[in-house]
Amino acid sequence: MSTPLQEYLSTTKPEKINAAMVAYVANLQEVATVAPEIAASVVKELATQRAHLKLVASENYCSLNVQAAMGNLLTDKYAEGYPEHRYYGGCENVDAVESVAAEEAKALFGAEHAYVQPHSGADANLVAYWAILNAKIELPECEKLGETNLSNLTDQQWAELRAKLGNQKLMGLDYYSGGHLTHGYRQNLSARMFDSYSYTVDKETGLLDYDAIEKQAMEVKPLILLAGYSAYPRAINFKRFREIADKCGAVLMVDMAHFAGLVAGKVFTGEYNPVEWADVVTTTTHKTLRGPRGALILCKKEFADSVNKGCPLALGGPLPHVMAAKAVAFKEARTNAYQDYAQNVQNNAKILAEECIKLGMKLQTGGTDNHLMLIDVTSFGLTGRQAENAMFECGITLNRNTLPFDPQGPWWTSGIRVGTPAVTTLGMGKEEMKEIATIINLVLSGTKPGLTKEGKPAKGKIEIDPAVKEEAKKRVATLLDKFILYPELDINFLQKSFIK
């Protein structure tokens, strides 16, 4: 009995055999010998992503080159520490990998120092926070509080720990205004570590009010003034934030996880490029940057030693195979093709936003400067969760999102977040954005809340007009037939070989 790889090679014309498909089949074949259900799930996910328009602003499609860099024996290595300063022997090759990734990141962003070990954006922010504390003040020993596990500290013990840290203050963008959970949200560790304060957007315009932020910062006098967002549709003036930080004596930290690709691609330059102005910058390496799932810290030399101690300070062993993939992604981003891609991400977002507005949709701040937009769905009589579910049923993947001062709260929400990184990777442009706007409007207009047993509207239920659903799915399929995800991969062969 032949293996899937043997079958592929024997049934495919030599001129049509491609290395990516060979590698993919070989990889899945090895997985399937131990866990066929896992290989099947990978193929099913490929099929799902090919069948849905991905408008999740925080997702993208990394290259098969990036994926290949993760599937190797580098995953076997423990390498606590950093290049030339390891706690394990035999790390010379990991040193080489990590050094290449760091140098590529520095060159890509024009940074003084790069730390490529963080596993996620939340990890990167945690390391950055502790590194800033470590660089600025003497850290106490948590054991003196009688508890070594931070998650078990009581509110009183956290207060004691903050007092020992000098009651250092963090000031970041409010979660409901587009900030991230790790920016001082009350249920996140960041709000436990620091005496946390939030600034908001202007209630009328939805925009950052730099004068109001400066006034608040002068009153709070935070150790860390944090800029950045996960759901704010406009460019940020980091030069202005630098001025505020200098005036109030704060370390300026920026979380550019969402828009790092626009910085790398030279779309955000000058006062809109955080690397030029911030002391410490964190980012994920997926999203607009189009690399593997992971994160990165860039900083001034003043903070380099503290950042390098992310392990053992906050991280465990780094992931050498993911650092290898980061190096590949950074190299890809240092090309003219990537700069064209980044510009197209912004262009597509602006076109999509304009078309949505023409169709009568209400957008937060009235448009976008970056890769995402927030659509208020209350005019359609829906919650964000209902809209999210309706979209997925009709072939579009996106996520619900709170709007500033949202009465629906973070679970139901009043809005949806729409992003263009993934569809731009597929090669879509102006005409496709117009079509996507029309489909979004079609689905929202054709959906209404479902009813409870008592006949009242139910927040968690929806009813979609069957004709609308059929039309939307057909139009989505037409789009995706023209822009195929990973066209090198024969989905029919993969399904036949690995889904039983």
Side-chain angles (χ1 to χ4, degrees):
M1 183 176 178
S2 63
T3 66
L5 181 57
Q6 289 170 333
E7 183 178 349
Y8 171 73
L9 293 173
S10 64
T11 58
T12 306
K13 294 181 179 179
E15 65 272 17
K16 291 190 176 182
I17 292 175
N18 71 79
M21 182 63 178
V22 171
Y24 219 81
V25 173
N27 177 285
L28 289 172
Q29 181 175 293
E30 289 302 303
V31 172
T33 60
V34 177
E37 67 275 23
I38 299 301
S41 292
V42 173
V43 176
K44 288 177 182 178
E45 180 60 23
L46 174 61
T48 297
Q49 293 205 27
R50 278 196 179 182
H52 288 77
L53 274 173
K54 184 187 283 193
L55 296 179
V56 179
S58 54
E59 291 187 9
N60 210 330
Y61 305 114
C62 67
S63 70
L64 292 175
N65 309 76
V66 168
Q67 292 182 31
M70 285 184 278
N72 57 68
L73 80 172
L74 287 174
T75 190
D76 296 332
K77 287 297 298 176
Y78 264 114
E80 281 96 332
Y82 53 96
E84 309 301 330
H85 295 82
R86 303 290 184 186
Y87 294 95
Y88 279 74
C91 290
E92 62 275 8
N93 296 312
V94 176
D95 283 356
V97 167
E98 184 171 349
S99 295
V100 169
E103 289 303 314
E104 288 293 330
K106 287 165 59 179
L108 176 63
F109 290 104
E112 293 181 9
H113 182 73
Y115 183 67
V116 299
Q117 290 189 20
H119 314 322
S120 69
D123 284 353
N125 284 347
L126 185 61
V127 170
Y129 291 149
W130 281 112
I132 293 169
L133 286 169
N134 200 33
K136 292 297 183 180
I137 60 177
E138 185 177 346
L139 292 177
E141 298 179 12
C142 292
E143 289 82 352
K144 292 180 180 178
L145 297 174
E147 178 58 70
T148 58
N149 188 340
L150 293 179
S151 64
N152 291 335
L153 293 182
T154 65
D155 288 346
Q156 179 59 37
Q157 287 173 317
W158 273 110
E160 290 178 28
L161 177 56
R162 285 196 297 271
K164 289 178 179 292
L165 293 171
N167 282 320
Q168 299 298 338
K169 298 173 182 178
L170 169 69
M171 185 173 151
L173 181 61
D174 175 56
Y175 173 73
Y176 295 95
S177 296
H180 191 256
L181 294 170
T182 57
H183 296 179
Y185 183 59
R186 64 183 181 276
Q187 295 183 18
N188 186 260
L189 181 63
S190 55
R192 297 281 193 152
M193 291 171 60
F194 295 96
D195 185 9
S196 183
Y197 297 79
S198 295
Y199 55 90
T200 65
V201 294
D202 181 83
K203 199 164 188 176
E204 297 299 322
T205 66
L207 300 173
L208 293 174
D209 183 335
Y210 296 102
D211 291 340
I213 295 170
E214 179 178 313
K215 180 180 178 181
Q216 185 179 357
M218 292 304 295
E219 293 171 353
V220 172
K221 295 292 181 70
L223 170 69
I224 301 174
L225 177 60
L226 177 59
Y229 53 80
S230 66
Y232 179 71
R234 295 297 179 177
I236 292 178
N237 187 324
F238 296 107
K239 180 182 178 182
R240 184 73 177 91
F241 263 102
R242 177 75 266 167
E243 293 168 352
I244 297 171
D246 288 343
K247 190 171 182 179
C248 70
V251 173
L252 178 58
M253 176 176 160
V254 174
D255 181 346
M256 67 171 184
H258 257 271
F259 54 94
L262 302 184
V263 177
K266 307 299 185 288
V267 176
F268 286 168
T269 58
E271 60 194 20
Y272 302 110
N273 176 3
V275 182
E276 289 188 25
W277 304 101
D279 299 298
V280 179
V281 178
T282 62
T283 181
T284 51
T285 47
H286 41 290
K287 300 187 177 76
T288 51
L289 196 49
R290 210 163 60 176
R293 185 165 293 280
L296 166 72
I297 300 175
L298 306 170
C299 65
K300 303 296 186 185
K301 289 181 179 179
E302 173 189 355
F303 297 93
D305 288 342
S306 295
V307 167
N308 279 345
K309 294 181 176 65
C311 173
L313 181 65
L315 301 177
L319 307 176
H321 57 304
V322 180
M323 291 193 291
K326 290 175 186 178
V328 173
F330 299 154
K331 283 179 176 289
E332 289 177 343
R334 291 182 65 196
T335 63
N336 291 333
Y338 183 87
Q339 290 186 21
D340 291 341
Y341 161 75
Q343 186 62 65
N344 288 336
V345 167
Q346 185 192 54
N347 293 344
N348 281 344
K350 288 185 175 183
I351 293 167
L352 181 56
E354 290 168 1
E355 293 300 316
C356 286
I357 291 171
K358 287 179 183 177
L359 292 168
M361 287 177 254
K362 182 182 178 182
L363 270 61
Q364 181 67 18
T365 76
T368 182
D369 295 328
N370 51 33
H371 64 296
L372 66 84
M373 64 210 70
L374 298 171
I375 301 176
D376 187 336
V377 297
T378 56
S379 63
F380 294 93
L382 303 171
T383 64
R385 188 177 187 216
Q386 290 169 327
E388 173 188 281
N389 291 340
M391 288 294 170
F392 190 75
E393 286 191 32
C394 294
I396 295 177
T397 307
L398 46 71
N399 68 283
R400 62 190 183 275
N401 210 97
T402 56
L403 302 178
F405 317 103
D406 199 325
Q408 293 286 358
W411 179 253
W412 300 108
T413 82
S414 297
I416 53 175
R417 186 179 66 171
V418 178
T420 56
V423 291
T424 305
T425 293
L426 293 180
M428 295 187 189
K430 181 177 181 179
E431 295 307 312
E432 289 73 39
M433 296 306 107
K434 291 181 178 180
E435 173 68 352
I436 290 171
T438 304
I439 298 172
I440 291 173
N441 188 63
L442 173 70
V443 175
L444 293 176
S445 301
T447 302
K448 61 182 181 180
L451 302 177
T452 64
K453 292 180 180 179
E454 293 76 26
K456 296 181 179 180
K459 284 185 176 182
K461 296 182 179 180
I462 54 172
E463 292 181 8
I464 308 173
D465 183 321
V468 166
K469 186 173 181 178
E470 182 180 357
E471 181 184 348
K473 293 182 74 171
K474 183 178 179 180
R475 290 168 71 171
V476 166
T478 299
L479 273 177
L480 292 175
D481 284 344
K482 297 176 184 176
F483 300 91
I484 299 174
L485 173 64
Y486 304 127
E488 307 95 326
L489 305 181
D490 184 339
I491 187 66
N492 293 324
F493 180 88
L494 293 173
Q495 289 175 320
K496 180 187 71 173
S497 300
F498 298 104
I499 299 178
K500 306 301 182 185

